[in-house]
Amino acid sequence: MDVQRLGPDDWELWRDVRLAALADSPEAFSSTLEREQAYGESRWREWLEPAKGLKAVAREEQSVAGTAGVWVPEDRDGAGELFGMWVHPSWRGRGVGDRLVAEALAWVQQRDLKALDLWVVGANAAAERLYTRHGFRRTGESQPYPPDPSITEYVMRREP
């Protein structure tokens, strides 16, 4: 299993895996399949500009097992934020999430960021176990989950 960092020339790979993730697990993302299906090539390429953060896929030969991204939002006070974490159903429970989280942490450390944050939906116990294994802890920050305000999502943080 390799983890590959993507750039603008990988836009078709990123598009295909991102749309697969949105189709498989729409409840896990703040975007929608319909919205992102409408993006053109220039939007996908722009998203993959290195200045916009990390976009990575875990793959074995031609099979894409999962994806993750990290960006540095202005409101996180110098912390990166993990987003778009998804593992293809046939690869779940096989260490793909661990590889993607490790890549995200490596990217944050290479940029000397103060921490890596992420939002996790309270009902997603498997995701929370994955992040806890990697040293993430809930910060106490929470909010209603935008697609369904009856659900709460929490910030978890890992400092280097």
Side-chain angles (χ1 to χ4, degrees), residues 145-158:
Y145 183 52
D148 182 351
S150 70
I151 298 172
T152 301
E153 64 178 350
Y154 302 89
V155 172
M156 296 184 78
R157 170 171 278 201
R158 155 98 188 257

Side-chain angles (χ1 to χ4, degrees), residues 16-115:
D16 292 350
V17 73
R18 178 74 178 170
L19 296 179
L22 289 165
D24 173 66
S25 303
E27 72 287 347
F29 300 96
S30 59
S31 188
T32 66
L33 178 61
E34 294 76 24
R35 177 185 307 146
E36 294 191 19
Q37 282 176 325
Y39 292 169
E41 178 181 342
S42 62
R43 173 66 176 91
W44 290 107
R45 284 182 176 277
E46 179 185 336
W47 205 1
L48 291 169
E49 286 295 331
K52 300 223 181 227
L54 169 73
K55 311 311 178 294
V57 294
R59 61 191 308 171
E60 188 167 270
E61 298 178 15
Q62 296 303 312
S63 177
V64 175
T67 185
V70 180
W71 71 303
V72 185
E74 292 180 16
D75 67 344
R76 300 306 311 167
D77 192 33
E81 186 174 299
L82 179 67
F83 75 95
M85 180 77 167
W86 174 76
V87 175
H88 189 281
S90 67
W91 285 94
R92 291 179 186 157
R94 298 169 60 185
V96 174
D98 293 305
R99 297 289 305 273
L100 290 165
V101 169
E103 188 70 20
L105 288 166
W107 188 87
V108 164
Q109 290 172 347
Q110 289 165 358
R111 278 140 192 84
D112 201 27
L113 298 176
K114 73 180 224 175

